[in-house]
Amino acid sequence: MLQKKFNNCAKKKLAMRAYNFTLIEEKWQSIWQKQQETIPHEPSHYARKYYVLNMFPYPSGSGLHIGHYTGYVASDIIARYYKHKGYHVMNPMGFDSFGLPAEQYAIQTGQHPAITTEKNISKYKRQFRQMGLDFDWDRQINTSEPTYYKWTQWIFLQLFNAWYNNTTQKAEPIETLLQAFTSNGNHTVEAACDEDTPLFSAQEWNAFTASEQQAKLLHYRLAYLKYSMVNWCETLGTVLANEEVKNGFSEIGGYPVTRKKMKQWSLRMTAYAERLLEDLSSLDWPLPTKEMQRNWIGRSEGAEITFNVQGASNQTIKVFTTRPETIFGACFIALAPEHPFTSFIANTTGDTLLIDYIHKARNQSDRNRLAAPTSLSGMFLSAYAIHPFTGARLPIWVADYVLPNYGTAAIMGVPAHSRQDYLFAQSFKLPSLPVIKSDNPLESEPYEGTEGKLINASFLNGLSVPMAFASIIQELVRKKIGKYKINYKVRDPIFSRQRYWGEPFPIYYKEDGLPYALSEDQLPLVLPEVSSYQPNKSGEPPLSNALNWTTPEGYPLELTTMPGWAGSSWYFLRYMDAYNANDLVSKAEEEYWSPVDCYIGGAEHATAHLLYARFWTKVLYDLGHIRRKEPFDKLFHQGMILNLSALAYRIKDKNEFVSFHLKESYDVVGIHVPIKFVYNHILDIEALKKWRPEFADATFILEDGKYICGSKMEKMSKSKHNVVNQERVIAQYGADALRLYLMFLGPLEESKPWDLAGIEGCSRFLHKVWRFVHYAQDSWTTTECINAKEITKTMHQTIQKVTEAIQRYSFNTAISSLMICLNKLSAHKKVEKSIVENFILLLEPFAPYIATELWESIGKEEVIKTFPFPDWDKDSLVETNYAYPVAINGKIRTKIIFDCPTPDTIIERAVLMDAVIQKWLSGKTVKKVIIIPRKMINIVT
């Protein structure tokens, strides 16, 4: 065999050619950086383009880790493959560089976040290059650069100066709305607007002052100011998005978060709810992600019904229900703690228990409030609503399972036909009245189905559920006490943060206190220097610490900044035309590069980033700035790399930690601590105290003199402090081995636990490749090739398998095919140069360093990454013979080779005459011989 002969006869010669991955990788990193190719500005010589995109990272101080690289390596393989196939490939990289960690560091040290960010980006780029990732650095973008966020601010102005026309189902310039108001007022305008938008005639509109008109327009703008319930973190001094809050504490730092009403910028994404839902069907996305977006958007059809409050002639409560046909089964009204009537009762009565309940309920996350307990909490408000059909009194309760952001923040409780209403009624011994006949006993479970006839329902009796639904809607409209309504769970996202390190709003305020837009020629509005990165003494955001933060005319500028997701909602467009100073993206570049052919990123972004990016794309499309209404036609989620994490348990509202086996006696919050501080579950307390200032004065309740941590197998993440540094792995095994191992762990879309021991096999494979190529090269002039046809067949089989595996992102099977191929080729004394070339080309997307070095070593002068990928020859794949497994009564006894095709009669005769088979058949009578072509042969006795 080739490898055995090499080992026995050529050790001395090949010792000079040992595989030194460190030297090879350093060599090619230097060469590639110097020879970094730019994307051609005239791509006419390319037949096709391919735009592969990664979800770009936030450049944290700790740098990249093993868990980050799965998607990056996968996209690099795809990009390299399509370059080999002659495509004009764009594989860009940039940085989502506005973020909370850099600002927290600035608060602690006084160092400007831009300095920290620049250092971190340099570190990331070095780590990317270390892994051999062939990104197009000439298209790099950083969201915190003024040349970039100028266009983020520009997009905000497009939102501010637009409204959504429900008639045309698209966003339109605000000027068209002004024209409608001037001519006809707003009585006939079909627009997405605030619920409390006042009606006015053209005469009234034209009589309004400029300030009054500006105030009215805020009800319609796609970017608008309003009071909203927000997640407020006092320690961090900012509003947090729902996904940044875990169990009432900030994801960063674990600080307490409360619910608070504040005036915030919001974006009218709800106007696009139906389009966001409908257009999902056209996308080649993972089905679970599409379903998550559907659930997040949460379309539901039902009715809005008005209930009068007993004893209050002007007081009404509107409820939204998806089951209006069950109205005769309504037994109570439940309000969200945030509902205005709840606050009215609390303020009127001064009931301290009620006030305390409302406060606690409001500070719970929606997720906790919707958890599925066996009972639900609430309080009776000592008030009643009047049933609009029966006149019955329905008690009004406040209940935390009713959310403020869905429907009207009020529901009619129908315990017989809603599980949550049933649990609530059971908890407080409220009555229940079934109105749909079913075989379900009320005592066990409510009947939530839609099969059956209406009972106990007055004029609805005997109707099917669908017929009753239609009938009750008609009656509600006739009596003017309700209407058919489509509701969506999705809310308008809050778009402002009380922080420094973010995009400044291009907004100023006049004496009337209303917001006005800067002109586009005033962009970018650059972040100013500030004396402190913390809020001022009055509690105003950090931008209040800037000198002369005003327009040239002296008007004050907006003090809040945009959220972290602003710059990431459109970055895929800027890559197409990264340095265009005059346009967001030129028409020509956008037309050429759109759409993104493959977008790779984590499934954790399914509802936030991906939804926001789709929303912004649709707005820009409506306003004529881009030609496509969806940003990403194809989406692929790489699986997570898992690792053990360590948990310490902090007593709520204290800086005291309880050991694992004692935590049940306390009210605690689990906090992730660095896994490097934990050995055999025992925490190094002194190391933790030195790690961060907030732990310096912490106290610990120990067991047997030790602090025992909890553990959990979860996503490798900096926030969970369970990461593995890739630089140590690369130093030991090389970047190519790490790339191969990350892809070989399993299917790309599945999550995999990290185990360093597994990389040994990939390392041995690369060493074997190195020896094989060098020995094959030596044999080209000394040995005659004997089995050329068999070798060619092996190679073309591998080309087919690797190509097809890359196209379906099955990289683990592609690598397996390469390993099998290498074993087969190594068994031959001589392998032709063309075969070796093809093998190196197949390897290059996966292990570019060793492939490029070997390509050079066999005398190839062409650049390997643009050299044509090998194509398989179908004729070479034709099987000329087949080794049939031969079984007797189902047990395989031998293999016999037959030419393809061979008649069954000849096969049967030859099998029965085979010496091995005759031995096993001795003394037995053959009943029949079953031949499955190119599968197996079974002899039945």
Side-chain angles (χ1 to χ4, degrees), residues 321-351:
T321 175
T322 59
R323 301 293 301 273
E325 75 281 1
T326 66
I327 190 169
F328 287 97
C331 297
F332 62 90
I333 299 294
L335 308 179
E338 296 83 358
H339 194 284
F341 187 76
T342 305
S343 300
F344 169 75
I345 293 294
N347 295 334
T348 302
T349 63
D351 186 335

Side-chain angles (χ1 to χ4, degrees), residues 32 79 86 153 166 210 239 264 391-392 475 563 568 592 598 600 614 675 786 845 869 878 911 915 932:
W32 291 339
Q153 293 172 335
N166 284 333
V239 170
Q264 299 285 303
E475 191 64 14
S568 63
Y592 178 76
C598 180
I600 296 181
R614 294 182 64 216
I675 194 71
I786 299 173
F869 209 65
V878 175
V911 166
I932 304 174

Side-chain angles (χ1 to χ4, degrees), residues 118 200 289 367 371 405 423 873:
E118 185 178 355
F200 48 82
T289 298
R367 184 178 301 173
N405 296 325
L423 288 173
D873 178 15

